[in-house]
Amino acid sequence: MVSPSLRIRGRVSALHSLGWILLLLSVAANPGRTQTVDQALWVTDGPVFSVVASGGTLYLGGGFRRVGPATGAAVPLALSSGVPAASFPKVAGRVYAVTPDGVGGWFLAGGFTHVGGVARSNLARLASDLSVTSWNPGANNEVRTLAVRGSTLYVGGRFTSVGGQTRRYLAALDVSSGAVRSWNPNLVGNSVLALVANSSTVYAGGIFTSVAGQLRGCIAAIDSATGAPTAWNPNANSNVNALALVGTTVYAGGNFTNIGGQPRDYIAALSTATGNASPWNPNADNYIQTLTVNGATVYAGGSFSMIGGQSRANIAAIDAASGAAATWNPAANAKVNALVVAGSTVYAGGEFTSIGGQTRRRIAALSAATGLAVAGWDPNANNVILGIAVNGSTLYAVGGITSMGGVDRNYIAALDSATGAAKTWNPNANGPVNVLALRGTTMYAGGVFSTIGGQSRLNLAALDTGTGVATSWNPGANNPVYALSVSGSKVYAGGTFTTIGGQPRNRIAAIDVTSGTAAAWNPGSDGVVATLARSGSKFYVGGEFTSIGGQLRQNLAALDTTSDAAAGWNPGASHRVEAVAVAGSTVYTGGHFDAIGGQSRNRIAALDATTGVATDWNPNASDYVLAVMAHGGTVYAGGVFIGIGALSRNRVVAWSDATGLPVDWNPNVSGAYPFVFSRVSAFAVSGTRIYLGGD
């Protein structure tokens, strides 16, 4: 099984500061057929580094903490129970906003590419039966906020084009047809983040500096007929993230400290006549992300700890007259991004895992009287909620979610291949599992953990496939394990360790399957061993090293299992090797290199198993290759790339081993939402299915 690189993992962590998104795909394994995604297969809330398919079970190791049904990024829930609808179109990407369309359906906005399998660029409309309608204006970048007024849908975001028309950050669309109206405020800046509208005026908040050539600092009132800004000009000194309109007052929340001509920390009430800030001043100590008004109460959510003169963690109810915080205090343990009131209940969405005195992952129903979480209402989202809206008996929750419901599974899990659901098997590691290898009824796991299967086990363990309990086998690697291969009576391990099985062993070792002690075999490497592939009595070893088996070998070597010495085979990869797969007389390799086997080869190559010389096969990947698999006459590669030679292939590709030509197989793996780094880092095959793991 192929392990992710240390460099790649660091890069992913930085770019996924908004939350990991992971998708496991099950597709027809016969190249040339249409790829069919197994909709029943559960997904994880973090990356999958290793996949093993055996019998009716799919084993996963990675950086995840939970597995659950695949829902996509927008989920309709029963308002009364929080239970998802029986069926609905799944959104591929991130959804920032949702609003009823006025006739029983919904508008969705975000950074997405497909809704229910239908291509939609960042905007979509669902009918009352939740089917995807033909309404399809399309935007060329994220849409962050929506407001419906009569026959017009106002959309704001980061886009510069909607429906094929130039519109910077703000546009008006026909509710029925999706046609772009001539209305064009032509903003300058970065984006629109909040919208509210009445019969004559559209109020916009965000990160902009001018509207139709007039200076407007992050907030503006725009004539709904002409698109020109009115004289209203509160001139906020930083982002306006949220707006609420009640009568003659516009409530604004954001990152500002001055608005409407007054010092106002993050929240203010503005006169619709003058744009001046009223005396109302809750004075938050950090930014406001969402506002909603119900009667005499203004509900605020964000990332604050003080507001209205009281300690309030990220959510508060504020008196609309005095600006003082009410006694209502659900105390969320992380940011609140969305609020809506329905009857006697306040629904909240965000990044929290505790609110209203209960464990609630990212979405909750709170009593408007007590602030306590409503018992039993617990959809359990696996990632950030960015927007919620209510229409009748349905609450639509949207965000970066890929699953609702499910079960906790820390870094390792088993799914039923037939139903797609999690099995009870639960070794419960306390750190990432990088690699899995199966031998009979024992699953070997390597990673960065100190407990697993109910026992103290340092970075390497053997687990019973029936119970998930760790066996007595306990080699104890002193540093992470990234590669495993089981052969005969030995478990071969690679990583960054320097002791394992009770012996000094530099980054590579053979361990007795019975005793857990290190065998005499001791090639030793001066750098990380990231991948192992056995063929006969030989191991092909890849990683980031300059010496192994007592010989100078650059990132790739062949080791004889009966000798410590490296074989004469010496392709010399210019940079790190992440993956190795053997097919007959050919060794396929993937990684970061641009030269290998004496030839220029970008990140993927085929090497002669005898000479180490690169063959003529030269796919030329555009970015890192992290996984390679040879199966049934086909070679599969996964990674970060978006192109292989002249082909457009996103993160996964397949070739014929016999001809070296690409086959018509293109699952087209995307990221969590557009512009986010993603990868395929593991493969497994079972019957007519190939499983892809990654993020």
Side-chain angles (χ1 to χ4, degrees):
M1 216 33 61
V2 180
S3 303
S5 79
L6 295 172
R7 290 179 179 174
I8 287 291
R9 189 177 300 122
R11 182 180 171 191
V12 173
S13 297
L15 289 173
H16 277 74
S17 60
L18 294 177
W20 284 93
I21 305 297
L22 171 91
L23 184 63
L24 278 175
L25 303 174
S26 174
V27 299
N30 184 356
R33 290 184 180 179
T34 300
Q35 290 80 58
T36 304
V37 177
D38 180 0
Q39 298 291 341
L41 188 69
W42 280 23
V43 299
T44 67
D45 67 346
V48 169
F49 301 145
S50 186
V51 184
V52 173
S54 177
T57 303
L58 186 71
Y59 297 92
L60 314 176
F64 55 84
R65 305 298 295 274
R66 193 168 179 83
V67 294
T71 62
V75 184
L77 307 169
L79 188 65
S80 59
S81 66
V83 175
S87 63
F88 55 89
K90 297 174 182 177
V91 180
R94 178 165 285 220
V95 181
Y96 287 100
V98 57
T99 193
D101 68 355
V103 290
W106 305 84
F107 290 108
L108 302 177
F112 51 79
T113 58
H114 289 78
V115 178
V118 180
R120 289 291 182 268
S121 295
N122 307 317
L123 283 166
R125 185 181 187 180
L126 307 182
S128 57
D129 64 357
L130 299 182
S131 62
V132 181
T133 70
S134 59
W135 189 90
N136 184 25
N140 71 337
N141 208 328
E142 292 175 352
V143 180
R144 304 293 295 267
T145 182
L146 301 169
V148 177
R149 184 71 188 182
S151 63
T152 302
L153 173 70
Y154 297 98
V155 298
R158 295 182 60 201
F159 54 82
T160 56
S161 173
V162 178
Q165 302 293 317
T166 298
R167 294 290 185 273
R168 286 197 300 198
Y169 316 129
L170 183 58
L173 308 175
D174 185 274
V175 163
S176 298
S177 68
V180 182
R181 299 199 189 280
S182 58
W183 189 81
N184 185 11
N186 193 28
L187 279 70
V188 172
N190 180 278
S191 62
V192 169
L193 303 175
L195 291 171
V196 290
N198 60 26
S199 59
S200 62
T201 307
V202 178
Y203 295 91
I207 313 169
F208 52 83
T209 56
S210 74
V211 179
Q214 300 295 315
L215 293 177
R216 292 292 183 272
C218 299
I219 188 168
I222 304 164
D223 189 286
S224 61
T226 66
T230 70
W232 192 81
N233 186 15
N235 192 30
N237 69 341
S238 191
N239 304 13
V240 173
N241 302 326
L243 295 172
L245 175 62
V246 180
T248 59
T249 301
V250 175
Y251 294 94
N255 298 51
F256 53 80
T257 55
N258 193 289
I259 193 172
Q262 299 293 327
R264 290 290 183 270
D265 287 339
Y266 310 109
I267 187 169
L270 309 169
S271 166
T272 57
T274 65
N276 293 333
S278 76
W280 189 82
N281 186 15
N283 192 31
D285 68 346
N286 209 337
Y287 67 88
I288 302 294
Q289 193 66 30
T290 182
L291 294 169
T292 192
V293 182
N294 185 53
T297 303
V298 179
Y299 292 94
S303 191
F304 50 83
S305 59
M306 289 284 297
I307 195 169
Q310 301 293 327
S311 295
R312 291 292 183 267
N314 306 310
I315 184 170
I318 304 162
D319 187 279
S322 68
T327 57
W328 190 81
N329 185 16
N333 70 339
K335 185 166 70 169
V336 173
N337 294 319
L339 292 168
V340 66
V341 181
S344 60
T345 305
V346 179
Y347 296 91
E351 299 177 14
F352 52 82
T353 55
S354 174
I355 193 171
Q358 299 293 325
T359 297
R360 291 290 186 271
R361 290 182 174 91
R362 304 169 186 94
I363 186 166
L366 307 168
S367 166
T370 66
L372 298 177
V374 174
W377 201 96
D378 189 13
N380 215 336
N382 77 336
N383 213 309
V384 60
I385 297 293
L386 297 170
I388 49 180
V390 171
N391 189 20
S393 60
T394 300
L395 178 146
Y396 231 113
V398 304
I401 48 178
T402 59
S403 177
M404 281 197 178
V407 294
D408 290 333
R409 290 293 184 268
N410 291 317
Y411 307 109
I412 186 167
L415 306 181
D416 186 293
S417 299
T419 66
K423 291 192 166 187
T424 56
W425 192 78
N426 185 17
N428 191 32
N430 71 339
V433 173
N434 296 324
V435 61
L436 298 170
L438 182 65
R439 179 182 185 265
T441 59
T442 302
M443 178 62 72
Y444 295 92
V448 194
F449 50 80
S450 58
T451 64
I452 191 171
Q455 301 293 326
S456 295
R457 293 291 183 268
L458 193 57
N459 303 319
L460 183 58
L463 307 167
D464 187 286
T465 55
T467 64
V469 174
T471 72
S472 59
W473 190 81
N474 186 15
N478 72 329
N479 272 316
V481 173
Y482 291 104
L484 289 174
S485 178
V486 184
S487 181
S489 62
K490 302 290 191 298
V491 177
Y492 295 86
T496 58
F497 52 82
T498 54
T499 63
I500 192 170
Q503 299 294 325
R505 292 291 184 270
N506 288 324
R507 289 105 185 173
I508 186 166
I511 304 153
D512 187 274
V513 296
T514 303
S515 66
T517 58
W521 188 77
N522 185 16
S525 169
D526 67 349
V528 61
V529 171
T531 182
L532 299 168
R534 179 148 188 177
S535 179
S537 62
K538 190 176 292 184
F539 262 113
Y540 295 95
V541 180
E544 195 166 8
F545 48 79
T546 58
S547 173
I548 192 169
Q551 302 293 324
L552 294 176
R553 293 291 184 269
Q554 194 76 22
N555 304 315
L556 183 61
L559 304 173
D560 193 292
T561 57
T562 62
S563 167
D564 290 351
W569 192 81
N570 186 15
S574 61
H575 296 289
R576 185 182 177 108
V577 171
E578 298 281 2
V580 177
V582 183
S585 61
T586 304
V587 179
Y588 292 96
T589 61
H592 305 196
F593 51 82
D594 53 22
I596 193 171
Q599 301 292 328
S600 295
R601 294 290 184 269
N602 287 321
R603 305 167 187 100
I604 188 166
L607 307 170
D608 187 283
T610 303
T611 66
V613 174
T615 71
D616 292 337
W617 188 74
N618 186 15
N620 191 31
S622 66
D623 212 327
Y624 300 151
V625 172
L626 305 176
V628 178
M629 181 180 69
H631 176 78
T634 303
V635 179
Y636 300 88
V640 186
F641 54 83
I642 58 173
I644 292 280
L647 292 175
S648 175
R649 288 289 188 272
N650 286 322
R651 288 94 184 180
V652 65
V653 67
W655 298 269
S656 166
D657 182 41
T659 66
L661 298 175
V663 297
D664 184 20
W665 185 80
N666 186 17
N668 192 31
V669 177
S670 70
Y673 59 108
F675 323 115
V676 169
F677 175 86
S678 62
R679 65 181 173 183
V680 169
S681 52
F683 293 109
V685 173
S686 179
T688 60
R689 288 179 168 182
I690 179 170
Y691 295 92
L692 314 182
D695 62 272

